[in-house]
Amino acid sequence: MKTGLVLEGGAMRGMFTAGVLDVMMEQGMAYDGAVGVSAGACFGCNYKSKQVGRAIRYNERFCRDKRYCSFRSLITTGDLYGAEFCYRTIPEELDVFDRETFEANPMEFFMVCTDVVTGKAVYRACKKGEDYLEWMRASASMPLASRIVEIDGGKYLDGGIADSIPLRFMESAGYGKNVVILTQPPAYRKKKNSLMPLFHIALRKYPKLIEALEKRHEMYNETLCYVKAQEAAGKVFVIQPPEKLPVGHIEHEKAKLRETYEIGRAQMTEQLEELKRFLAE
């Protein structure tokens, strides 16, 4: 039976996921495949490249750098998280992403984007030699805070709009035993986005995307129920923070990033033996 990782997004809440994944890597745990959404794709890719500590390292280093994340970047480039700096300068020069190890690792890695024309999720497998960092950027491009990303004639935004927790996708791809890493606590339920009036104006050319945004909270909450049902059936293992994390979508304080990362490490350490039993069954 193939084992899979399902990595929810959540911007800087992804530091929790980074902490969880680093403990897994230190333990030598391997999976047959993984799917990441938004921050889950951006930070989860380090699992396939086997780069322990990379996500927390560069986020602490650049969290105050205006090229990384700032309203100045949003105004001057159209992207809150600077596209050139985040997806070119950092991975190619300042904290190099190990493409060679990533591509040599047989673990499949998928990223979720939302097609702005159809409003549907697109599940993109990373392929050797292609520019998968551009797909990663698309997966993490939040509406209003990012430009629409155009790739091979398609137009994409944040994968979390259409599928925030792509467990069903992994199951349909043949992964019968999945570990789901969530970035919200157990009691969390999503509410309708208060920015919908702005979405209607800014994204009026894409009615299907607006429709997906309108229904996102309903789809998210239904998926949470499905995840819990699969967990109760013994098919899924869930790792999530015990309470609300101390970071938001934007975080310039190193201490809060580190605290969130350490919460992830602590949670994974606490559940480690139980997870090992789940994977061994």
Side-chain angles (χ1 to χ4, degrees), residues 6 165 167-168 180 182 222-233 236-238:
V6 179
I165 312 169
L167 172 59
R168 286 187 174 98
V180 178
L182 304 176
E222 187 278 330
T223 302
L224 278 182
C225 291
Y226 181 76
V227 169
K228 294 300 180 180
Q230 292 298 81
E231 181 184 31
V236 164
F237 189 93
V238 176

Side-chain angles (χ1 to χ4, degrees), residues 22-30 47:
D22 279 357
V23 172
M24 287 185 181
M25 283 193 276
E26 291 164 358
Q27 291 291 319
M29 303 179 78
Y47 200 88

Side-chain angles (χ1 to χ4, degrees), residues 3-9 17 21 31-45 47-48 102 107-113 121-126 139 159-160 163-173 175 178-182:
T3 58
L5 273 173
V6 179
L7 310 174
E8 183 184 13
T17 301
L21 295 179
Y31 297 85
D32 297 303
V35 60
V37 182
S38 194
C42 293
F43 303 151
C45 65
Y47 200 88
K48 184 172 166 67
F102 183 90
M107 183 183 83
E108 289 188 287
F109 193 82
F110 303 91
M111 294 177 288
V112 186
C113 303
V122 173
Y123 306 92
R124 181 73 179 187
C126 291
S139 181
D163 193 353
S164 297
I165 312 169
L167 172 59
R168 286 187 174 98
F169 163 74
M170 287 297 275
E171 291 174 338
S172 70
Y175 292 87
N178 291 286
V179 177
V180 178
I181 303 178
L182 304 176

Side-chain angles (χ1 to χ4, degrees), residues 46-109:
N46 296 298
Y47 200 88
K48 184 172 166 67
S49 65
K50 301 182 180 181
Q51 291 177 277
V52 179
R54 180 173 179 268
I56 182 61
R57 183 174 63 240
Y58 75 72
N59 273 282
E60 284 186 323
R61 180 180 175 186
F62 300 115
C63 63
R64 288 182 174 273
D65 194 312
K66 295 186 185 302
R67 297 171 297 172
Y68 184 58
C69 176
S70 67
F71 286 107
R72 186 178 77 178
S73 175
L74 179 62
I75 293 169
T76 58
T77 72
D79 294 302
L80 183 65
Y81 286 87
E84 183 67 22
F85 189 71
C86 292
Y87 298 99
R88 300 297 170 195
T89 306
I90 291 177
E92 294 176 2
E93 301 173 20
L94 302 178
D95 199 319
V96 177
F97 177 64
D98 190 345
R99 284 178 176 267
E100 184 177 351
T101 299
F102 183 90
E103 294 181 357
N105 188 336
M107 183 183 83
E108 289 188 287
F109 193 82

